[in-house]
């Protein structure tokens, strides 16, 4: 009879060792993957079809408003060029300038008008920023509360028309049904109620973004630090509640140089013959559809909720 081998392991103990080794290997793998996953941020970005859609909307606006030229550039959320279209009559440098405007708008997440006006007020040190094009005509493209790309236009009739073309391109994505429930830019769930927590509301105010948009109404967390253009909404009634700050708001009168920048949205350079109102925290203002209005002065940083009940476009059609 052979002597027992002191190094031999029973089948049960062998299985236990294999199981333990496998379990340890799995735990090590999980510990290696989990932290890496936690450090990854998922971002939305415009795709090529989206870039073409924005260009088509801008070109359509240019044709309807007899723009003498213009170069339209679309960049993704990282500022990389995706698409560019040069209209007949545009000057050669327009391509470079339009790309710079689009990149500036998306990387700073602000319209480039903000920077040109800021520099005109004396902040000239900003011109030293590398790759910075602080010229009116760059607009970030926002979908579901996130900046997904940018559009820049150069070479139209004026700086304001550059911006109008860019706004028309960006507005191609401003439709109901985008975003996730409970997030800025969302539509209400099937239950009919939407709850947006304080964190998301604060984030929307920081950027001046929609909280909710549907076919029948919209709710915006608006932010303003400077005067704006004259506005007319042909379908939306603005119900404004001032959360913080103060401003001068002119209503009524006539919008000068009024042009349609998107369906049912009209902008002008200023208002003539309107009535000025000093608004501050706690005030409520109701501006019916079709009434011109413009912020002509802002003190500090103005935060205000805007609820926008929207009439159906069908009510504006006539039968012949």
């Amino acid at each position: 009879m052979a002597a027992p081998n002191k190094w031999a392991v029973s089948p049960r103990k062998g299985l236990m060792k294999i199981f333990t080794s496998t379990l340890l290997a799995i735990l090590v793998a999980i510990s290696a993957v989990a932290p890496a996953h936690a450090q990854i941020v998922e971002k939305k970005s415009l795709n090529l079809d989206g870039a073409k859609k924005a260009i088509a909307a801008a070109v359509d606006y240019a044709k309807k408003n007899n723009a003498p030229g213009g170069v339209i550039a679309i960049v993704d959320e990282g500022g990389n060029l995706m698409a560019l279209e040069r209209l007949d009559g545009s000057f050669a440098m327009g391509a470079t300038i339009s790309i710079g405007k689009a990149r500036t708008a998306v990387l700073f997440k602000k319209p480039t008008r903000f920077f040109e006006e800021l520099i005109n007020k004396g902040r000239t040190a900003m011109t030293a920023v590398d790759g910075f094009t602080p010229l009116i005509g760059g607009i970030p493209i926002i979908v579901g509360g996130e900046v997904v790309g940018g559009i820049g236009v150069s070479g139209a009739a004026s700086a304001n028309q550059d911006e109008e073309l860019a706004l028309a391109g960006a507005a191609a994505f401003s439709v109901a049904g985008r975003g996730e429930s409970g997030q800025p830019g969302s539509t209400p769930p099937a239950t009919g109620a939407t709850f947006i927590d304080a964190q998301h509301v604060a984030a929307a105010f920081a950027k001046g973004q929609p909280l909710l948009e549907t076919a029948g109404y919209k709710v915006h967390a608006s932010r303003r630090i400077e005067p704006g253009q004259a506005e007319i909404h042909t379908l939306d009634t603005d119900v404004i509640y001032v959360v913080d700050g103060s401003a001068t708001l002119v209503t009524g009168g006539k919008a000068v140089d009024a042009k349609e920048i998107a369906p049912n949205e009209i902008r002008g350079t200023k208002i003539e013959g309107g009535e000025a109102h000093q608004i501050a925290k706690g005030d409520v203002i109701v501006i019916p559809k079709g009434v011109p209005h413009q912020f002509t002065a802002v003190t500090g940083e103005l935060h205000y909720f805007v609820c926008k009940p929207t009439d159906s476009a069908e009510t504006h059609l006539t039968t012949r």
Side-chain angles (χ1 to χ4, degrees):
M1 181 176 180
N5 186 348
K6 66 177 181 179
W7 302 110
V9 179
S10 69
R12 184 173 180 178
K13 288 184 179 181
L15 288 173
M16 285 298 294
K17 290 183 71 174
I18 292 171
F19 175 77
T20 303
S21 300
T22 304
L23 181 60
L24 286 172
I26 293 171
L27 290 174
V28 169
I30 292 174
S31 65
V33 172
H37 178 74
Q39 294 171 17
I40 295 174
V41 176
E42 293 183 1
K43 290 185 177 181
K44 295 179 181 178
S45 185
L46 206 62
N47 61 20
L48 186 56
D49 286 340
K52 291 178 179 178
K53 178 179 179 179
I55 285 181
V59 170
D60 182 62
Y61 180 89
K63 291 179 178 178
K64 288 180 179 178
N65 291 274
N66 300 315
V71 182
I72 304 155
I74 307 294
V75 300
D76 64 16
E77 56 89 25
N80 305 297
L81 181 65
M82 297 185 69
L84 184 140
E85 183 150 339
R86 180 178 172 181
L87 303 180
D88 292 340
S90 303
F91 62 97
M93 191 63 181
T96 300
I97 297 173
S98 63
I99 294 170
K101 289 180 180 182
R103 292 190 75 249
T104 300
V106 74
L107 294 178
F108 286 88
K109 299 184 178 181
K110 287 181 182 293
T112 50
R113 172 182 287 273
F114 172 84
F115 301 107
E116 179 167 338
E117 293 180 349
L118 194 64
I119 290 168
N120 288 340
K121 293 176 183 178
R123 190 74 187 276
T124 56
M126 293 196 71
T127 59
V129 178
D130 188 37
F132 185 52
T133 307
L135 300 173
I136 293 172
I139 299 292
I141 296 174
I142 300 173
V143 175
E146 292 184 38
V147 175
V148 298
I151 177 170
V153 179
S154 178
S158 64
N160 283 335
Q161 193 176 60
D162 285 348
E163 185 176 57
E164 290 167 8
L165 267 65
L167 285 167
F173 301 91
S174 299
V175 297
R178 299 188 179 276
E180 298 176 0
S181 177
Q183 304 292 329
S186 64
T187 56
T191 60
T194 299
F195 296 87
I196 305 173
D197 61 43
Q199 181 180 357
H200 286 113
V201 173
F205 270 127
K207 298 177 181 178
Q209 293 180 338
L211 285 169
L212 185 68
E213 293 197 340
T214 75
Y217 65 91
K218 305 168 187 137
V219 181
H220 291 184
S222 297
R223 171 183 179 271
R224 182 174 291 278
I225 62 173
E226 60 185 9
Q229 293 178 292
E231 301 182 18
I232 300 175
H233 314 304
T234 60
L235 296 182
D236 294 348
T237 291
D238 280 359
V239 182
I240 298 172
Y241 173 73
V242 182
V243 176
D244 200 13
S246 60
T248 302
L249 177 64
V250 177
T251 61
K254 179 182 178 182
V256 177
D257 298 325
K259 294 180 180 180
E260 188 176 33
I261 65 162
N264 306 306
E265 289 294 331
I266 298 170
R267 298 292 183 269
T269 54
K270 62 179 180 179
I271 289 179
E272 288 183 347
E275 182 180 359
H277 309 268
Q278 302 302 316
I279 63 173
K281 182 177 179 179
D283 289 343
V284 173
I285 307 97
V286 180
I287 305 173
K289 63 186 180 185
V291 174
H293 54 283
Q294 180 182 21
F295 287 95
T296 58
V298 178
T299 302
E301 192 168 303
L302 184 70
H303 288 185
Y304 54 103
F305 278 111
V306 186
C307 296
K308 292 173 171 283
T310 304
D311 279 357
S312 169
E314 294 178 359
T315 62
H316 291 256
L317 299 177
T318 57
T319 302
R320 300 188 181 188

